[in-house]
Amino acid sequence: MNESNLKILLVEDDEALRFIVKDNLEQNGYEVEAAADGQIALDFFEKNKFDLIILDVMLPKIDGFQVAEKIRKSNEHVPIIFLTARSMTEDKIKGLTIGGDDYIPKPFSMEELLLKIKIFLRRSQSLPLESQAGNGFIKIGRFLFHSEELSLTIDDSTRSLTLKEAELIRFFAEHPNKVLSRNEILEKVWGSDDYFLGRSLDVFISRLRKYFKADPSVKIINLHGIGFRFSVKKENA
């Protein structure tokens, strides 16, 4: 992964902080476009291709949640990192639910932000999955999970996935019919098992259950007090 070829959209209304973050990112080889409000951010997004977005929540004109929702309508894949002083659990869950990939509260360290950026860019640039058919997909019941396209297909219907949805499906697909603890899932997919991420996991599980509803042979079974089991019945079983 060559950072010099990667472009980041930084959306932050605090001029001093915007300058500091932009300067640090550029010193680490990233190309950065900086916006001071939500409307400017959306204008930049419509005219440019970005590899990652750093998004404050409390913004003039259009807040960060609304910006993220608009971006997700046109692009399901670009990683979004919320960077904000709003640390209420409900805000964190909302940010992740509408398609954010992570939520870093202020104050923060640049080292943490740079690490998160590298992680999400690495994941978005290549989602390495073992193909069961040599064509870049995994078969899950009647579904085809396309790793590189971040999509889930059944019959003639294809659904675009967010990066986090794809990572969760990948983890389940790698461990079919096995008991997986909540802590294990959170550590492997989110990198942490704290409280608000646990609630976010429940939101994502609910969402994936709706996606897999079209095939009764694929179920995410809740094991109370333990975790989940990704049940995939084999054909003719």
Side-chain angles (χ1 to χ4, degrees):
M1 184 178 68
N2 186 354
E3 282 84 353
S4 62
N5 296 325
L6 300 173
K7 192 169 185 177
I8 294 175
L9 174 58
L10 169 65
V11 191
E12 170 60 60
D13 65 329
D14 184 309
E15 184 177 1
L17 181 58
R18 186 171 65 249
F19 174 83
I20 292 170
V21 174
K22 184 175 186 293
D23 185 58
N24 272 273
L25 293 177
E26 290 176 339
Q27 287 185 32
N28 280 272
Y30 298 108
E31 182 180 350
V32 182
E33 194 78 69
D37 66 56
Q39 185 58 62
I40 294 175
L42 289 174
D43 291 343
F44 282 159
F45 184 78
E46 290 177 1
K47 299 173 183 176
N48 298 273
K49 180 183 181 299
F50 294 99
D51 298 288
L52 183 138
I53 297 170
I54 301 172
L55 184 59
D56 191 11
V57 171
M58 294 183 289
L59 293 169
K61 298 184 180 180
I62 304 175
D63 72 38
F65 289 148
Q66 292 175 303
V67 172
E69 287 176 327
K70 290 179 182 293
I71 287 174
R72 279 290 175 248
K73 287 180 180 179
S74 62
N75 189 315
E76 291 278 356
H77 306 153
V78 62
I80 298 175
I81 299 177
F82 284 108
L83 190 65
T84 177
R86 293 177 62 164
S87 58
M88 295 291 291
T89 297
E90 291 75 13
D91 288 332
K92 293 179 179 180
I93 293 172
K94 180 177 180 180
L96 295 170
T97 301
I98 63 178
D101 293 284
D102 209 340
Y103 200 115
I104 301 178
K106 299 175 183 176
F108 62 93
S109 69
M110 277 305 306
E111 289 78 9
E112 178 188 10
L113 178 59
L114 288 168
L115 177 60
K116 296 280 189 180
I117 290 170
K118 285 186 177 181
I119 290 172
F120 284 115
L121 285 174
R122 188 182 303 121
R123 290 175 179 176
S124 64
Q125 294 298 308
S126 61
L127 279 176
L129 283 168
E130 295 297 326
S131 169
Q132 293 182 344
N135 293 315
F137 65 80
I138 287 181
K139 194 171 188 300
I140 305 173
R142 289 168 45 215
F143 289 93
L144 294 181
F145 172 44
H146 294 256
S147 59
E148 295 181 359
E149 297 177 11
L150 298 181
S151 65
L152 189 66
T153 300
I154 184 169
D155 301 328
D156 295 324
S157 176
T158 298
R159 178 187 298 276
S160 293
L161 302 168
T162 67
L163 182 62
K164 192 60 66 180
E165 289 170 346
E167 289 179 338
L168 186 53
I169 291 175
R170 176 179 62 179
F171 187 67
F172 278 139
E174 290 173 345
H175 303 86
N177 302 307
K178 294 182 180 179
V179 175
L180 301 170
S181 71
R182 294 177 63 88
N183 288 350
E184 182 181 7
I185 296 170
L186 289 169
E187 287 287 355
K188 295 294 184 180
V189 180
W190 271 271
S192 174
D193 64 349
D194 67 22
Y195 173 75
F196 90 84
L197 287 179
R199 291 188 51 189
S200 178
L201 170 61
D202 292 331
V203 172
F204 277 86
I205 292 291
S206 177
R207 194 183 298 169
L208 295 192
R209 281 177 173 148
K210 291 178 181 178
Y211 296 173
F212 287 117
K213 192 175 181 179
D215 184 357
S217 72
V218 182
K219 296 180 182 297
I220 302 176
I221 299 172
N222 182 37
L223 304 173
H224 185 67
I226 301 174
F228 302 93
R229 180 162 57 86
F230 188 58
S231 174
V232 183
K233 292 184 179 179
K234 295 181 180 180
E235 294 181 5
N236 303 321

